Amino acid sequence: MTIVLYLAALLFFLLLFVVGTANEAEVAVRILGRSIGPMTLGAALAGAAIAGVAFASMLGLIDGIKIRVANRRLRRQIRRTEEEADALRLRLARPPAVFPAGQTHEGLRPSSGPEARSF
């Protein structure tokens, strides 16, 4: 897929070069109320192409930075989740503690009656 994009860009710039060299007409370019020129049509097209590439590159750079920040945040979240899962696995893997007869894990004797719990 990347090769197709590179070939399309190369074809575009070759077409731009052919149109620019074939048209030697002088033009004046107005940008934000200011007139730049006279210049050849090829120079105007080349300037527009360079400005377009620069603008698209800036958008790509900003998007790439956003993706890197999101990836870093997700990596941290994955690391925390894995640490939590490891801690839970260790807790479940430990054999239950053996208590002396009649004592609970808190060192108390179980109460008699319906409230008695076994640990």
Side-chain angles (χ1 to χ4, degrees):
M1 183 67 180
T2 306
I3 291 178
V4 173
L5 292 175
Y6 286 136
L7 288 175
L10 179 65
L11 181 66
F12 172 74
F13 284 111
L14 283 174
L15 181 66
L16 184 68
F17 178 74
V18 169
V19 170
T21 56
N23 293 312
E24 292 295 324
E26 294 282 324
V27 293
V29 178
R30 292 185 58 99
I31 299 176
L32 301 173
R34 298 188 67 197
S35 180
I36 303 171
M39 64 177 75
T40 62
L41 182 60
L45 286 173
I50 291 170
V53 167
F55 183 72
S57 296
M58 295 270 291
L59 292 178
L61 181 69
I62 291 169
D63 192 40
I65 290 171
K66 285 180 182 178
I67 289 172
R68 285 186 192 99
V69 168
N71 282 343
R72 188 175 305 130
R73 189 178 318 123
L74 289 172
R75 270 191 241 114
R76 267 189 259 134
Q77 184 178 358
I78 288 170
R79 187 174 57 238
R80 276 189 248 124
T81 304
E82 286 175 345
E83 289 171 357
E84 182 180 339
D86 289 342
L88 288 172
R89 274 191 216 104
L90 285 174
R91 192 185 287 135
L92 290 173
R94 289 187 189 129
V98 178
F99 300 105
Q103 289 188 344
T104 64
H105 73 285
E106 298 165 344
L108 304 173
R109 294 203 176 271
S111 62
S112 60
E115 295 131 6
R117 296 182 294 183
S118 64
F119 289 95

